[in-house]
Amino acid sequence: MLNFIYLIPGLPFAGFIVLSLIGRRFSKATVALVGAGTVGMSALLSVLMAIGFVSHPTEGREFIQTLWTWMEVDGFSPAVSLFIDPLSLIMTLVITIVGFFIHLYSVEFMLDEEGYSRFFAYMNLFIGSMLTLVLADNLLLLYFGWEGVGLCSYLLIGFWYTDPANGKAARKAFIMTRIGDTAMALGLFLLFTNLGTLNIQALMQSAPKQWAPGASTAVLAAALLLGGAIGKSAQLPLQVWLPDAMAGPTPVSALIHAATMVTAGVYLIARTHVLFALAPVVQAAVAIIGAATLLIAGCSALAQRDIKRVLAYSTISQVGYMFLALGVGAWSAAIFHLVTHAFFKALLFLGAGVVILAQHHEHDMFKMGGLRKRLPLTFWAFLIGAASLSALPLITAGFYSKDLILWYAWSSPMGGKGLWAAGLLGAFITSIYAFRMVFITFFGEAKMDISSRPRARMVIPLVILAILSIIGGFMELPDTLGNLPLFSNFMRDVFPGESVKHAGAATELMLQFIASAASLAGVFIAYVLFIGRPRYAESLLRTPAGSALDRFWFSGWGFDRLYDILFVRPFIWLIQINRDDFIDLIYTGIAAINRVLHAVLSATQTGNIRWYAMGIAAGAVVFLGIVVFFH
């Protein structure tokens, strides 16, 4: 089965080509069959490949399929090769399975929209690019998929391009991520210059031999790769593009936030973890950036009214947890949370899409309400997603993955009480905004009629993702709850160096109890403020301090305004000053000469035939004279 790896990204790419070339001629049913069907076949192949990989492991638990040599220049000959190991296998399963359910949901969600075939073409290209990214065996091919993901994000965020706001959001995402992409490209040049290869496995083997821990070149290379990861994964200070990305259709938001784009940075750091281990200062920076991001984004989520923007800031915060785990050396814990987050965040976005359609495309939660009884299945699915996001103890996947991160933040040699406290406070904030969203949207009085109800193609993904959001956490049970580390054992060949300080089972149990209490306390506070005693929240917002803080958090801590002052306005000012520079004089001069010649030649167009005949005769005489003279 491993010999057919190329079909996993190949099928979505084939769907993109077919839909791009002749998709407009297809009926919507055929478009859906091609768009969702190719991703479904890719998911099926991924599952079969995973079964074969686990039941008949290859030597070293890795497999390389070389398709062709991409280019060959002066000894540099990167190949189009696909690499399978436990990390890339897990990522492939998440991308294809969650991606398929989002495609299936989209078949119905986008049914009444123009550009049906264009939408699925972009979605297929998105899946194919992300699969290329995670399956690449060299950083150049990975970068190819990386840029493909960036292109698709631009196309899909601006899918409704007739609205100028959507085009602006798409450009913002593209430009902000390009900042990180540029840093990553410089990192690739640095790695090749110093190590002579971009093959990932060769790099991971040669880097420790050539660079001592803390070497300046290793630090610079890791820092440049971190810049790329920060851009794609929307971490501080390049996080501002992600909330505006909600301008795209809801399935696009689910795909970007759950299964593809924002996880790319996490995957990059995990895949090149050897380089970060050689640069302890950069790895520490990863943890600090993650801790700061999860708190800032969590506070911003508390102030949002748009249900999708709440989920957007939630994604920034949850990816912050993954960065925190990566920064303290908990590589498998970061990927484990990536997996569970894909389940519950896709579920929440798809549930939000059902609500938005049912409420006449309204996004403001405070204009909704009373949907618990009118959309019961969506309510229960959304509740499960919110519970998993909030890491409610014992019964949700999010509890096990987030608890593992908090444990490593406390007990890892690179962790500490400060990082653990940041993660704990973030969990408390998460519970408040998650259940604020549930209580405002689904409880209280109904404010508008139901305009549509989900049918099977939207219901099936909700049900399956809800199940995965519960049982997905049982892949990794801690010592205090059965000691079944299936996930970390599976990843051990990729991340052999994970370690924790000896803290004892009693300490771990105490930390789990504190984290559980924080999550449940957040739910209780959300209930009091938005169901039990809503006047408390209203009174708080009427105070000057509460109102100012709400506006500050609503604006995302003012980062957009700050960047506008520091970068956008000075750039526009320089453009206005330099609009008549000497380079422009060359082109304006050419235009002026053409205008003069136009005026001269126009003067000859009198409409008098005798003058035209005389001009022709004179021209003939001149021409003959030239021929005779130069002969």
Side-chain angles (χ1 to χ4, degrees):
M1 198 67 214
L2 292 174
N3 292 323
F4 295 99
I5 297 175
Y6 69 93
L7 289 176
I8 295 176
L11 286 168
F13 279 136
F16 162 72
I17 293 171
V18 170
L19 292 175
S20 297
L21 296 179
I22 55 177
R24 291 184 179 180
R25 303 177 185 177
F26 291 163
S27 65
K28 289 189 174 181
T30 305
V31 169
L33 182 63
V34 174
T38 52
V39 178
M41 292 172 63
S42 183
L44 178 60
L45 284 173
S46 299
V47 172
L48 294 175
M49 182 185 67
I51 294 172
F53 187 84
V54 172
S55 59
H56 300 91
T58 58
E59 183 178 353
R61 297 186 73 195
E62 60 184 43
F63 178 81
I64 300 175
Q65 183 181 58
T66 301
L67 301 177
W68 64 83
T69 299
W70 188 355
M71 64 183 78
E72 191 164 357
V73 181
D74 194 24
F76 178 57
S77 54
V80 177
S81 296
L82 306 179
F83 178 77
I84 285 291
D85 69 347
L87 176 57
S88 59
L89 179 61
I90 289 293
M91 294 297 297
T92 300
L93 288 170
V94 169
I95 293 165
T96 55
I97 293 174
V98 176
F100 168 67
F101 288 127
I102 293 172
H103 274 71
L104 180 62
Y105 177 98
S106 303
V107 170
E108 182 177 329
F109 186 91
M110 300 296 294
L111 196 59
D112 297 327
E113 299 289 344
E114 295 182 4
Y116 197 68
S117 63
R118 177 167 59 90
F119 174 82
F120 279 100
Y122 293 166
M123 293 281 277
N124 278 193
L125 182 61
F126 209 157
I127 293 289
S129 298
M130 189 65 189
L131 287 170
T132 301
L133 190 159
V134 301
L135 289 172
D137 87 323
N138 65 81
L139 289 176
L140 188 61
L141 185 59
L142 184 151
Y143 192 72
F144 178 79
W146 187 275
E147 293 297 343
V149 168
L151 170 65
C152 293
S153 69
Y154 170 78
L155 295 173
L156 285 166
I157 293 169
F159 179 76
W160 290 314
Y161 57 86
T162 54
D163 186 344
N166 294 346
K168 182 179 179 181
R171 291 192 300 273
K172 183 177 181 179
F174 191 76
I175 292 170
M176 293 300 295
T177 55
R178 289 302 300 167
I179 297 171
D181 295 352
T182 302
M184 181 180 171
L186 294 174
L188 301 191
F189 284 119
L190 181 64
L191 288 171
F192 179 75
T193 301
N194 285 269
L195 300 179
T197 182
L198 288 179
N199 181 276
I200 296 173
Q201 302 310 307
L203 282 173
M204 298 306 102
Q205 293 172 7
S206 61
K209 298 177 182 177
Q210 185 161 332
W211 295 330
S216 58
T217 308
V219 170
L220 181 57
L224 290 170
L225 293 183
L226 174 59
I230 286 173
K232 274 290 188 290
S233 291
Q235 298 293 283
L236 285 171
L238 300 179
Q239 82 285 3
V240 295
W241 67 268
L242 195 58
D244 290 346
M246 297 303 96
T250 299
V252 172
S253 303
L255 194 61
I256 290 176
H257 290 245
T260 54
M261 187 167 175
V262 296
T263 62
V266 177
Y267 172 79
L268 175 66
I269 296 176
R271 175 56 77 195
T272 59
H273 66 280
V274 173
L275 292 176
F276 286 85
L278 291 172
V281 64
V282 179
Q283 190 174 343
V286 173
I288 293 170
I289 289 170
T293 302
L294 71 89
L295 289 174
I296 288 175
C299 291
S300 295
L302 286 171
Q304 303 305 308
R305 298 177 64 93
D306 185 323
I307 188 171
K308 286 177 64 176
R309 287 183 74 89
V310 175
L311 295 175
Y313 279 110
S314 168
T315 296
I316 298 173
S317 181
Q318 295 306 303
V319 175
Y321 275 101
M322 299 174 207
F323 268 61
L324 172 60
L326 294 169
V328 300
W331 315 109
S332 61
I335 301 303
F336 182 41
H337 194 57
L338 184 154
V339 173
T340 61
H341 176 262
F343 297 152
F344 63 71
K345 188 51 62 67
L347 173 62
L348 286 168
F349 266 110
L350 299 187
V354 173
V355 170
I356 290 168
L357 281 184
Q359 299 287 270
H360 307 274
H361 296 275
E362 179 60 63
H363 287 226
D364 190 338
M365 297 183 296
F366 288 87
K367 296 180 180 179
M368 302 176 187
L371 297 176
R372 176 169 55 94
K373 295 181 179 179
R374 296 190 293 169
L375 293 173
L377 189 145
T378 304
F379 163 69
W380 285 107
F382 201 90
L383 180 64
I384 290 171
S388 192
L389 169 62
S390 304
L392 295 193
L394 303 179
I395 58 172
T396 63
F399 166 75
Y400 293 99
S401 58
K402 192 175 291 185
D403 177 72
L404 188 61
I405 293 174
L406 292 176
W407 171 241
Y408 270 101
W410 176 278
S411 60
S412 168
M414 298 193 67
K417 295 179 181 178
L419 294 174
W420 173 82
L424 181 68
L425 179 58
F428 173 68
I429 294 171
T430 300
S431 292
I432 296 176
Y433 72 66
F435 277 87
R436 167 183 179 264
M437 184 169 50
V438 171
F439 293 143
I440 292 174
T441 304
F442 291 95
F443 288 77
E445 297 181 359
K447 298 181 178 66
M448 64 177 74
D449 296 330
I450 297 293
S451 60
S452 66
R453 296 182 185 275
R455 295 189 291 272
R457 287 170 296 191
M458 294 175 71
V459 168
I460 291 172
L462 291 178
V463 172
I464 295 176
L465 288 170
I467 294 171
L468 292 174
S469 296
I470 295 174
I471 68 172
F474 297 109
M475 295 185 291
E476 183 79 14
L477 298 181
D479 292 345
T480 56
L481 296 172
N483 189 23
L484 190 65
L486 296 177
F487 190 86
S488 57
N489 285 343
F490 183 66
M491 304 298 292
R492 187 164 293 165
D493 290 334
V494 183
F495 308 124
E498 294 178 313
S499 61
V500 296
K501 295 178 290 189
H502 180 69
T507 301
E508 185 175 4
L509 187 61
M510 179 189 69
L511 295 177
Q512 288 171 348
F513 177 80
I514 294 173
S516 300
S519 296
L520 293 173
V523 176
F524 175 74
I525 289 175
Y527 175 80
V528 170
L529 293 178
F530 302 104
I531 294 292
R533 299 288 187 273
R535 64 179 181 274
Y536 291 169
E538 296 169 1
S539 299
L540 184 62
L541 289 176
R542 280 197 294 265
T543 64
S547 177
L549 190 61
D550 180 66
R551 291 195 303 271
F552 184 58
W553 285 352
F554 181 81
S555 68
W557 294 60
F559 275 93
D560 279 314
R561 179 173 174 79
L562 176 64
Y563 293 158
D564 184 60
I565 294 173
L566 292 179
F567 302 109
V568 178
R569 293 182 186 178
F571 184 73
I572 293 174
W573 179 72
L574 288 173
I575 289 174
Q576 291 174 339
I577 290 177
N578 199 41
R579 67 192 309 171
D580 295 322
D581 60 53
F582 73 95
I583 298 295
D584 288 339
L585 293 177
I586 298 174
Y587 302 104
T588 55
I590 293 173
I593 292 171
N594 277 280
R595 284 196 294 269
V596 170
L597 292 175
H598 170 264
V600 171
L601 293 174
S602 296
T604 66
Q605 305 301 306
T606 62
N608 194 322
I609 296 178
R610 288 178 297 175
W611 282 99
Y612 293 166
M614 186 180 72
I616 293 172
V621 171
V622 172
F623 177 75
L624 291 174
I626 292 173
V627 171
V628 172
F629 180 78
F630 287 102
H631 186 269

PDB file of all heavy atoms in Angstrom, residues 402-421:
ATOM      1  N   LYS A 402      -4.661  18.866  26.485  1.00  0.00           N
ATOM      2  CA  LYS A 402      -4.254  20.086  27.178  1.00  0.00           C
ATOM      3  C   LYS A 402      -3.601  19.761  28.520  1.00  0.00           C
ATOM      4  O   LYS A 402      -2.632  20.420  28.923  1.00  0.00           O
ATOM      5  CB  LYS A 402      -5.452  21.013  27.361  1.00  0.00           C
ATOM      6  CG  LYS A 402      -5.068  22.418  27.816  1.00  0.00           C
ATOM      7  CD  LYS A 402      -6.281  23.345  27.868  1.00  0.00           C
ATOM      8  CE  LYS A 402      -6.813  23.658  26.502  1.00  0.00           C
ATOM      9  NZ  LYS A 402      -7.912  24.657  26.528  1.00  0.00           N
ATOM     10  N   ASP A 403      -4.105  18.749  29.192  1.00  0.00           N
ATOM     11  CA  ASP A 403      -3.501  18.347  30.461  1.00  0.00           C
ATOM     12  C   ASP A 403      -2.067  17.876  30.260  1.00  0.00           C
ATOM     13  O   ASP A 403      -1.186  18.155  31.091  1.00  0.00           O
ATOM     14  CB  ASP A 403      -4.330  17.228  31.099  1.00  0.00           C
ATOM     15  CG  ASP A 403      -3.710  16.722  32.391  1.00  0.00           C
ATOM     16  OD1 ASP A 403      -3.750  17.444  33.393  1.00  0.00           O
ATOM     17  OD2 ASP A 403      -3.157  15.600  32.378  1.00  0.00           O
ATOM     18  N   LEU A 404      -1.816  17.189  29.157  1.00  0.00           N
ATOM     19  CA  LEU A 404      -0.459  16.721  28.880  1.00  0.00           C
ATOM     20  C   LEU A 404       0.481  17.902  28.659  1.00  0.00           C
ATOM     21  O   LEU A 404       1.632  17.898  29.115  1.00  0.00           O
ATOM     22  CB  LEU A 404      -0.477  15.808  27.649  1.00  0.00           C
ATOM     23  CG  LEU A 404       0.827  15.072  27.312  1.00  0.00           C
ATOM     24  CD1 LEU A 404       1.244  14.154  28.450  1.00  0.00           C
ATOM     25  CD2 LEU A 404       0.674  14.272  26.018  1.00  0.00           C
ATOM     26  N   ILE A 405      -0.007  18.932  27.979  1.00  0.00           N
ATOM     27  CA  ILE A 405       0.818  20.124  27.768  1.00  0.00           C
ATOM     28  C   ILE A 405       1.114  20.814  29.099  1.00  0.00           C
ATOM     29  O   ILE A 405       2.259  21.208  29.377  1.00  0.00           O
ATOM     30  CB  ILE A 405       0.120  21.089  26.789  1.00  0.00           C
ATOM     31  CG1 ILE A 405       0.053  20.478  25.392  1.00  0.00           C
ATOM     32  CG2 ILE A 405       0.850  22.438  26.741  1.00  0.00           C
ATOM     33  CD1 ILE A 405      -0.732  21.294  24.391  1.00  0.00           C
ATOM     34  N   LEU A 406       0.096  20.964  29.937  1.00  0.00           N
ATOM     35  CA  LEU A 406       0.307  21.606  31.236  1.00  0.00           C
ATOM     36  C   LEU A 406       1.272  20.801  32.095  1.00  0.00           C
ATOM     37  O   LEU A 406       2.101  21.377  32.820  1.00  0.00           O
ATOM     38  CB  LEU A 406      -1.031  21.779  31.957  1.00  0.00           C
ATOM     39  CG  LEU A 406      -2.015  22.781  31.326  1.00  0.00           C
ATOM     40  CD1 LEU A 406      -3.333  22.790  32.086  1.00  0.00           C
ATOM     41  CD2 LEU A 406      -1.418  24.173  31.288  1.00  0.00           C
ATOM     42  N   TRP A 407       1.194  19.484  32.021  1.00  0.00           N
ATOM     43  CA  TRP A 407       2.105  18.634  32.797  1.00  0.00           C
ATOM     44  C   TRP A 407       3.547  18.837  32.346  1.00  0.00           C
ATOM     45  O   TRP A 407       4.459  18.985  33.170  1.00  0.00           O
ATOM     46  CB  TRP A 407       1.678  17.182  32.670  1.00  0.00           C
ATOM     47  CG  TRP A 407       2.656  16.186  33.234  1.00  0.00           C
ATOM     48  CD1 TRP A 407       3.298  15.191  32.558  1.00  0.00           C
ATOM     49  CD2 TRP A 407       3.092  16.082  34.590  1.00  0.00           C
ATOM     50  NE1 TRP A 407       4.113  14.483  33.393  1.00  0.00           N
ATOM     51  CE2 TRP A 407       4.008  15.015  34.654  1.00  0.00           C
ATOM     52  CE3 TRP A 407       2.816  16.810  35.750  1.00  0.00           C
ATOM     53  CZ2 TRP A 407       4.636  14.639  35.838  1.00  0.00           C
ATOM     54  CZ3 TRP A 407       3.446  16.433  36.927  1.00  0.00           C
ATOM     55  CH2 TRP A 407       4.341  15.364  36.960  1.00  0.00           C
ATOM     56  N   TYR A 408       3.758  18.874  31.045  1.00  0.00           N
ATOM     57  CA  TYR A 408       5.106  19.104  30.542  1.00  0.00           C
ATOM     58  C   TYR A 408       5.584  20.521  30.857  1.00  0.00           C
ATOM     59  O   TYR A 408       6.759  20.740  31.132  1.00  0.00           O
ATOM     60  CB  TYR A 408       5.167  18.866  29.035  1.00  0.00           C
ATOM     61  CG  TYR A 408       5.491  17.439  28.653  1.00  0.00           C
ATOM     62  CD1 TYR A 408       4.496  16.561  28.248  1.00  0.00           C
ATOM     63  CD2 TYR A 408       6.803  16.969  28.692  1.00  0.00           C
ATOM     64  CE1 TYR A 408       4.791  15.251  27.900  1.00  0.00           C
ATOM     65  CE2 TYR A 408       7.107  15.666  28.341  1.00  0.00           C
ATOM     66  CZ  TYR A 408       6.100  14.812  27.950  1.00  0.00           C
ATOM     67  OH  TYR A 408       6.407  13.516  27.606  1.00  0.00           O
ATOM     68  N   ALA A 409       4.671  21.496  30.790  1.00  0.00           N
ATOM     69  CA  ALA A 409       5.058  22.867  31.122  1.00  0.00           C
ATOM     70  C   ALA A 409       5.553  22.963  32.561  1.00  0.00           C
ATOM     71  O   ALA A 409       6.436  23.769  32.877  1.00  0.00           O
ATOM     72  CB  ALA A 409       3.875  23.816  30.900  1.00  0.00           C
ATOM     73  N   TRP A 410       4.993  22.143  33.441  1.00  0.00           N
ATOM     74  CA  TRP A 410       5.419  22.116  34.846  1.00  0.00           C
ATOM     75  C   TRP A 410       6.694  21.304  35.043  1.00  0.00           C
ATOM     76  O   TRP A 410       7.606  21.730  35.762  1.00  0.00           O
ATOM     77  CB  TRP A 410       4.291  21.543  35.699  1.00  0.00           C
ATOM     78  CG  TRP A 410       4.640  21.375  37.147  1.00  0.00           C
ATOM     79  CD1 TRP A 410       5.323  20.347  37.725  1.00  0.00           C
ATOM     80  CD2 TRP A 410       4.321  22.278  38.221  1.00  0.00           C
ATOM     81  NE1 TRP A 410       5.438  20.532  39.075  1.00  0.00           N
ATOM     82  CE2 TRP A 410       4.836  21.726  39.410  1.00  0.00           C
ATOM     83  CE3 TRP A 410       3.644  23.497  38.276  1.00  0.00           C
ATOM     84  CZ2 TRP A 410       4.693  22.337  40.647  1.00  0.00           C
ATOM     85  CZ3 TRP A 410       3.505  24.112  39.507  1.00  0.00           C
ATOM     86  CH2 TRP A 410       4.027  23.547  40.668  1.00  0.00           C
ATOM     87  N   SER A 411       6.754  20.133  34.401  1.00  0.00           N
ATOM     88  CA  SER A 411       7.785  19.152  34.768  1.00  0.00           C
ATOM     89  C   SER A 411       8.946  19.044  33.799  1.00  0.00           C
ATOM     90  O   SER A 411       9.970  18.442  34.135  1.00  0.00           O
ATOM     91  CB  SER A 411       7.140  17.762  34.912  1.00  0.00           C
ATOM     92  OG  SER A 411       6.538  17.372  33.682  1.00  0.00           O
ATOM     93  N   SER A 412       8.834  19.604  32.595  1.00  0.00           N
ATOM     94  CA  SER A 412       9.934  19.509  31.640  1.00  0.00           C
ATOM     95  C   SER A 412      11.121  20.350  32.111  1.00  0.00           C
ATOM     96  O   SER A 412      10.947  21.392  32.741  1.00  0.00           O
ATOM     97  CB  SER A 412       9.475  19.995  30.265  1.00  0.00           C
ATOM     98  OG  SER A 412      10.576  20.163  29.400  1.00  0.00           O
ATOM     99  N   PRO A 413      12.351  19.908  31.789  1.00  0.00           N
ATOM    100  CA  PRO A 413      13.529  20.718  32.142  1.00  0.00           C
ATOM    101  C   PRO A 413      13.484  22.120  31.553  1.00  0.00           C
ATOM    102  O   PRO A 413      14.071  23.045  32.116  1.00  0.00           O
ATOM    103  CB  PRO A 413      14.693  19.905  31.555  1.00  0.00           C
ATOM    104  CG  PRO A 413      14.195  18.506  31.506  1.00  0.00           C
ATOM    105  CD  PRO A 413      12.729  18.605  31.219  1.00  0.00           C
ATOM    106  N   MET A 414      12.793  22.304  30.438  1.00  0.00           N
ATOM    107  CA  MET A 414      12.687  23.627  29.823  1.00  0.00           C
ATOM    108  C   MET A 414      11.419  24.360  30.237  1.00  0.00           C
ATOM    109  O   MET A 414      11.148  25.462  29.779  1.00  0.00           O
ATOM    110  CB  MET A 414      12.748  23.512  28.303  1.00  0.00           C
ATOM    111  CG  MET A 414      14.048  22.947  27.778  1.00  0.00           C
ATOM    112  SD  MET A 414      14.231  23.180  25.998  1.00  0.00           S
ATOM    113  CE  MET A 414      14.388  24.951  25.896  1.00  0.00           C
ATOM    114  N   GLY A 415      10.604  23.711  31.068  1.00  0.00           N
ATOM    115  CA  GLY A 415       9.373  24.332  31.526  1.00  0.00           C
ATOM    116  C   GLY A 415       9.589  25.127  32.795  1.00  0.00           C
ATOM    117  O   GLY A 415      10.712  25.481  33.168  1.00  0.00           O
ATOM    118  N   GLY A 416       8.510  25.410  33.476  1.00  0.00           N
ATOM    119  CA  GLY A 416       8.597  26.178  34.705  1.00  0.00           C
ATOM    120  C   GLY A 416       7.218  26.557  35.192  1.00  0.00           C
ATOM    121  O   GLY A 416       6.220  26.438  34.471  1.00  0.00           O
ATOM    122  N   LYS A 417       7.156  27.041  36.424  1.00  0.00           N
ATOM    123  CA  LYS A 417       5.874  27.380  37.024  1.00  0.00           C
ATOM    124  C   LYS A 417       5.196  28.540  36.299  1.00  0.00           C
ATOM    125  O   LYS A 417       3.965  28.597  36.221  1.00  0.00           O
ATOM    126  CB  LYS A 417       6.076  27.723  38.495  1.00  0.00           C
ATOM    127  CG  LYS A 417       6.549  26.542  39.330  1.00  0.00           C
ATOM    128  CD  LYS A 417       6.751  26.925  40.782  1.00  0.00           C
ATOM    129  CE  LYS A 417       7.242  25.726  41.601  1.00  0.00           C
ATOM    130  NZ  LYS A 417       7.485  26.085  43.020  1.00  0.00           N
ATOM    131  N   GLY A 418       6.002  29.472  35.744  1.00  0.00           N
ATOM    132  CA  GLY A 418       5.413  30.595  35.032  1.00  0.00           C
ATOM    133  C   GLY A 418       4.677  30.161  33.782  1.00  0.00           C
ATOM    134  O   GLY A 418       3.560  30.613  33.511  1.00  0.00           O
ATOM    135  N   LEU A 419       5.294  29.275  33.009  1.00  0.00           N
ATOM    136  CA  LEU A 419       4.651  28.774  31.792  1.00  0.00           C
ATOM    137  C   LEU A 419       3.415  27.955  32.144  1.00  0.00           C
ATOM    138  O   LEU A 419       2.385  28.031  31.461  1.00  0.00           O
ATOM    139  CB  LEU A 419       5.646  27.936  30.984  1.00  0.00           C
ATOM    140  CG  LEU A 419       6.836  28.709  30.393  1.00  0.00           C
ATOM    141  CD1 LEU A 419       7.815  27.735  29.736  1.00  0.00           C
ATOM    142  CD2 LEU A 419       6.365  29.735  29.378  1.00  0.00           C
ATOM    143  N   TRP A 420       3.521  27.152  33.202  1.00  0.00           N
ATOM    144  CA  TRP A 420       2.361  26.358  33.634  1.00  0.00           C
ATOM    145  C   TRP A 420       1.218  27.280  34.052  1.00  0.00           C
ATOM    146  O   TRP A 420       0.055  27.045  33.697  1.00  0.00           O
ATOM    147  CB  TRP A 420       2.761  25.447  34.792  1.00  0.00           C
ATOM    148  CG  TRP A 420       1.595  24.732  35.411  1.00  0.00           C
ATOM    149  CD1 TRP A 420       0.996  23.590  34.967  1.00  0.00           C
ATOM    150  CD2 TRP A 420       0.869  25.138  36.585  1.00  0.00           C
ATOM    151  NE1 TRP A 420      -0.055  23.245  35.785  1.00  0.00           N
ATOM    152  CE2 TRP A 420      -0.154  24.178  36.786  1.00  0.00           C
ATOM    153  CE3 TRP A 420       0.990  26.205  37.474  1.00  0.00           C
ATOM    154  CZ2 TRP A 420      -1.042  24.264  37.854  1.00  0.00           C
ATOM    155  CZ3 TRP A 420       0.095  26.289  38.533  1.00  0.00           C
ATOM    156  CH2 TRP A 420      -0.908  25.325  38.718  1.00  0.00           C
ATOM    157  N   ALA A 421       1.533  28.336  34.796  1.00  0.00           N
ATOM    158  CA  ALA A 421       0.501  29.271  35.251  1.00  0.00           C
ATOM    159  C   ALA A 421      -0.174  29.961  34.069  1.00  0.00           C
ATOM    160  O   ALA A 421      -1.396  30.171  34.075  1.00  0.00           O
ATOM    161  CB  ALA A 421       1.114  30.299  36.195  1.00  0.00           C
TER     162      ALA A 421
END
